[in-house]
Amino acid sequence: MRNLTLPAFHAVAAVLALTGCQPSKSDTVAVKYAWARLSPVPDRPAALYFTLTGANQTDRLVGIDSAVVQRIELHESMGGGAHAMAGMKPLSGVDVPANGSALFQPGGNHAMLFGVDPAITPGTAIPLRFRFASGKAVESEAKTVATGQDAPGV
Ligand SMILES: [Cu+2]
């Protein structure tokens, strides 16, 4: 029996070694590089961009809240007019693939911040709470820039 057990042990060890070589996995989506471009006009929305890094299971972003923003919508940009309201479509949610990522960036998916507290000026961070279909929530902060400014170094 010893001669049979040893190869079996090696097979298990090999599987464990393979598993150990994979990058460390998280059960929660991570929010990275969040930043917002503020509107020069108080009654126009700001645009929010960020990167979501997937957990070990696919999850879905279903909403974002902030104590300093009245309403936050997820949008998809359609065609060329990246910043024209006519060129956008609301999204009910966006999948974040397991161990993958979901990008929200200018010209693509983004979030729009309606009713930003006037106390938020370029350079003031916006606190955010990202809600997922799994029931998990992730807190983050967005750096802010003025209209026409480049993305902040993050
Ligand atoms: Cu939009």
Side-chain angles (χ1 to χ4, degrees):
M1 289 307 286
R2 269 190 143 177
N3 287 343
L4 289 175
T5 308
L6 203 55
F9 170 78
H10 281 297
V12 170
V15 168
L16 288 174
L18 281 174
T19 309
C21 283
Q22 291 174 359
S24 66
K25 292 178 175 182
S26 168
D27 61 358
T28 306
V29 172
V31 178
K32 295 178 179 173
Y33 317 125
W35 64 282
R37 185 175 276 132
L38 300 175
S39 167
V41 186
D43 61 355
R44 293 288 306 278
L48 171 68
Y49 308 104
F50 50 89
T51 296
L52 300 178
T53 302
N56 53 16
Q57 291 185 334
T58 296
D59 206 340
R60 184 172 174 82
L61 177 68
V62 293
I64 309 172
D65 302 313
S66 173
V68 298
V69 183
Q70 288 174 9
R71 187 174 91 256
I72 300 181
E73 293 182 1
L74 304 177
H75 281 182
E76 174 183 17
S77 292
M78 316 283 289
H83 287 280
M85 289 300 285
M88 299 179 189
K89 194 176 85 174
L91 296 169
S92 61
V94 175
D95 282 341
V96 187
N99 302 309
S101 58
L103 304 181
F104 287 70
Q105 54 193 6
N109 289 350
H110 57 278
M112 307 227 53
L113 316 183
F114 295 89
V116 178
D117 188 320
I120 302 295
T121 54
T124 310
I126 296 179
L128 298 167
R129 187 168 174 275
F130 293 73
R131 289 182 286 107
F132 295 91
S134 62
K136 296 192 170 89
V138 176
E139 312 259 340
S140 187
E141 268 190 354
K143 297 183 177 183
T144 57
V145 298
T147 300
Q149 282 189 314
D150 289 336
V154 284

